[in-house]
Amino acid sequence: MAHIAWLGKKTPFCGNVTYGLSTTEALKKRGHQTSFIHFDNPGSPGSSNTSLLAHDPDVSLPYLVKSQVYTIPSPRAQRELRESLKRLQPDVVHASLTLSPLDFRLPELCQPLGIPLVATFHPPFDAGLRNLTAGTQQLSYQLYAPALSRYDRVIVFSDLQAEVLNRLGVHETRLAVIPNGVDPERWSPAPSHPASISKELHTVRSRLGDQRIFLYMGRIATEKNVEALLRAWRLVKPAGCRLVIVGDGPLRSTLQNVYGNGIGDLLWWGYEANLNTRIALLQCAEVFVLPSLVEGLSIALLEAMGCQCACVATDAGADGEVLAGGAGIVLSTQGVTTQLRTLLPVLRDQPLLTQELGRRARERVMERYRMVSNIDALEELYDTLIAENPLAA
């Protein structure tokens, strides 16, 4: 079994955090040792208060700023990371990149120590460069490519992502396409037997009422394009249906002021920290909508698919690839409001269609996007790098 030093973050909640926590949990279940090195100022609210010198599996690195999008480490973070790696002596360092200046320094930290270095590169993209936001995201790929070419392996979520980095100079032998995965036993349809229904599902159902639920779950930010969904919903006003917005972000208060504060057929649920409640929300949803302008590979989309929601998403990042071939409905990133204005009445009037789309979505997850397959691929990658490492014992 390998000792993996996982470098990432545990807060604030975002797809990167979900990826790191779920992956390290799965690795531990397979018998691997994981040391989670994350940005967490000792003494801050929610801090684990771990010491650099403690023999705990977690190590805290100090930071100046930490958000869902990026992290600014403190000046001493690089030194503390180097010392922690010397002490831990892991077989592999796996960095779930946090859009931090430290990301660019990791090769020069790991190479002298003889530790293989793996990155998971998360930034969303739209390879067609069809809008300004996509152009901004493409810039992050251009900035990162020279550093990524010095990592031993770079994990991306789709062939399209790998092609973008390869065009920017990251050699194909350093790129590994390993899609995100979810546990379909956890992210599953609501149980049919009343005795098996969780208390969270009871609570969510009572709050949502009898209407058919259309749901968005994620950040309320520009790149997620939630306003396009809200505009279409206000134009269509589908009878007997309710739109639930789960999440928080910089645009939430503005959009709530414009589109209403959760009265009638629109409910602003807010950020939901409880895992079982998030599962229950998806189990109550008939349709999941992800109108993003840019994406990587959305874990929220895979979770919704596992819960057998009919899924509608744009072809940003790898999301269109996930739903291609009938597993869901794929929209263009251009004119999302217009497309949804046409589509929402169809979904309202065709419950048999949404039922079939939900069945196909879960089937696709079972075929291609199970967490077990993701971890199998990671283990194979780790084994290869350890075997290639001349300093390995």
Side-chain angles (χ1 to χ4, degrees):
M1 293 295 110
H3 178 190
I4 313 302
W6 188 279
L7 177 60
K9 60 182 181 179
K10 292 189 172 182
T11 58
F13 179 79
C14 61
N16 193 325
V17 170
T18 300
Y19 175 80
L21 294 178
S22 61
T23 303
T24 53
E25 178 187 2
L27 288 169
K28 287 177 185 177
K29 287 181 179 178
R30 298 221 181 165
H32 299 283
Q33 180 184 353
T34 63
S35 299
F36 207 121
I37 305 173
H38 60 114
F39 295 98
D40 188 10
N41 287 326
S44 63
S47 169
S48 58
N49 289 316
T50 53
S51 165
L52 175 66
L53 300 178
H55 291 280
D56 293 320
D58 283 19
V59 174
S60 298
L61 295 180
Y63 67 90
L64 301 177
V65 177
K66 182 172 62 171
S67 74
Q68 290 179 315
V69 179
Y70 60 87
T71 304
I72 306 299
S74 81
R76 70 178 191 275
Q78 181 174 328
R79 174 178 56 82
E80 293 196 9
L81 175 58
R82 181 186 293 110
E83 293 304 313
S84 68
L85 292 177
K86 286 181 180 178
R87 173 176 58 82
L88 293 168
Q89 297 185 334
D91 296 308
V92 175
V93 172
H94 189 151
S96 182
L97 298 181
T98 59
L99 294 183
S100 159
L102 198 56
D103 296 344
F104 299 87
R105 309 302 297 274
L106 290 177
E108 65 189 62
L109 287 176
C110 291
Q111 287 168 5
L113 298 173
I115 305 172
L117 175 61
V118 178
T120 298
F121 191 55
H122 294 271
F125 72 103
D126 177 1
L129 297 181
R130 290 173 290 221
N131 51 65
L132 180 61
T133 307
T136 303
Q137 296 299 334
Q138 179 78 352
L139 179 60
S140 69
Y141 277 66
Q142 293 170 340
L143 290 172
Y144 262 88
L148 294 177
S149 66
R150 298 168 58 211
Y151 281 66
D152 293 290
R153 292 294 188 280
V154 179
I155 295 170
V156 291
F157 302 132
S158 71
D159 291 332
L160 190 56
Q161 233 179 331
E163 289 171 13
V164 171
L165 286 174
N166 185 232
R167 289 201 304 268
L168 292 171
V170 182
H171 197 274
E172 60 184 12
T173 58
R174 294 184 183 265
L175 294 166
V177 179
I178 304 179
N180 279 334
V182 294
D183 179 359
E185 298 301 315
R186 172 179 287 173
W187 301 94
S188 61
S192 55
H193 197 285
S196 302
I197 294 175
S198 68
K199 63 178 181 180
E200 290 87 1
L201 184 52
H202 274 297
T203 301
V204 170
R205 278 180 173 171
S206 63
R207 181 173 172 184
L208 295 182
D210 309 349
Q211 294 166 297
R212 297 164 63 197
I213 301 302
F214 287 58
L215 184 139
Y216 166 83
M217 183 179 290
R219 294 182 66 238
I220 316 296
T222 302
E223 68 273 13
K224 296 298 185 179
N225 201 25
V226 180
E227 187 170 10
L229 170 59
L230 292 168
R231 283 198 303 265
W233 192 266
R234 187 164 68 177
L235 289 167
V236 174
K237 295 181 180 177
C241 302
R242 191 175 204 186
L243 176 62
V244 181
I245 305 294
V246 182
D248 203 354
L251 294 183
R252 179 183 169 184
S253 60
T254 300
L255 293 178
Q256 277 192 247
N257 289 335
V258 173
Y259 292 95
N261 287 309
I263 300 172
D265 66 347
L266 173 61
L267 173 62
W268 294 87
W269 186 278
Y271 168 68
E272 181 52 65
N274 185 278
L275 172 64
N276 290 329
T277 301
R278 293 203 303 275
I279 294 171
L281 281 161
L282 288 171
Q283 289 174 334
C284 288
E286 182 176 338
V287 179
F288 177 85
V289 184
L290 187 62
S292 303
L293 295 171
V294 290
E295 277 290 349
L297 194 168
S298 170
I299 293 179
L301 174 61
L302 296 179
E303 292 168 347
M305 293 170 70
C307 291
Q308 208 159 298
C309 298
C311 291
V312 178
T314 58
D315 59 349
D319 289 354
E321 177 183 318
V322 170
L323 296 179
I329 297 174
V330 181
L331 309 177
S332 168
T333 53
Q334 292 180 307
V336 173
T337 295
T338 301
Q339 294 170 82
L340 286 174
R341 188 178 180 183
T342 301
L343 182 60
L344 289 174
V346 177
L347 297 174
R348 175 197 63 201
D349 296 337
Q350 301 291 336
L352 291 179
L353 171 63
T354 61
Q355 183 179 349
E356 175 62 16
L357 287 173
R359 186 193 66 79
R360 292 186 184 183
R362 180 164 173 83
E363 188 176 82
R364 176 63 55 83
V365 165
M366 298 299 290
E367 289 174 352
R368 303 183 191 177
Y369 299 103
R370 294 183 302 150
M371 174 62 78
V372 64
S373 302
N374 178 284
I375 300 302
D376 286 345
L378 275 183
E379 285 185 316
E380 184 177 348
L381 177 60
Y382 295 155
D383 288 345
T384 299
L385 290 176
I386 293 169
E388 291 175 352
N389 183 13
L391 298 182

